[in-house]
Amino acid sequence: GARFNVRFAAEADDSAAPNDVQYYVIGWRVTGTGNSWHALTTVPATRAATYLWTHANPLVIGDYDYGVHAVDCGGLLSAQAVSAAVTLP
């Protein structure tokens, strides 16, 4: 089946003081700024410089955006990093 790798850099607070990133939320949407985001998974913060999550067998066809938020120990979200559009088979 199809696979798509989501690779992203750690938020600054993940690897430096205050080291308060707890996890990352990965989501996606049909490409387009008016479309809603849907959470796919969470990735625990491990103080790594970069992270990788593989979206195995996405059962869709078309153009999608992936986005990542860091979530800190207080539940605050970072600004969302958004990929360029990805065409899934």
Side-chain angles (χ1 to χ4, degrees), residues 70-78:
V71 182
D72 72 11
C73 59
L76 298 174
L77 297 173
S78 68

Side-chain angles (χ1 to χ4, degrees), residues 18-87:
N19 290 26
D20 65 347
V21 174
Q22 298 295 301
Y23 58 93
Y24 295 88
V25 177
I26 299 175
W28 69 342
R29 68 179 178 191
V30 173
T31 296
T33 57
N35 296 324
S36 299
W37 286 96
H38 303 281
L40 293 168
T41 193
T42 59
V43 175
T46 60
R47 311 299 174 241
T50 59
Y51 292 86
L52 173 69
W53 176 73
T54 300
H55 192 182
N57 299 317
L59 301 175
V60 296
I61 295 173
D63 293 338
Y64 285 80
D65 300 325
Y66 285 84
V68 178
H69 283 289
V71 182
D72 72 11
C73 59
L76 298 174
L77 297 173
S78 68
Q80 187 176 46
V82 178
S83 72
V86 174
T87 301

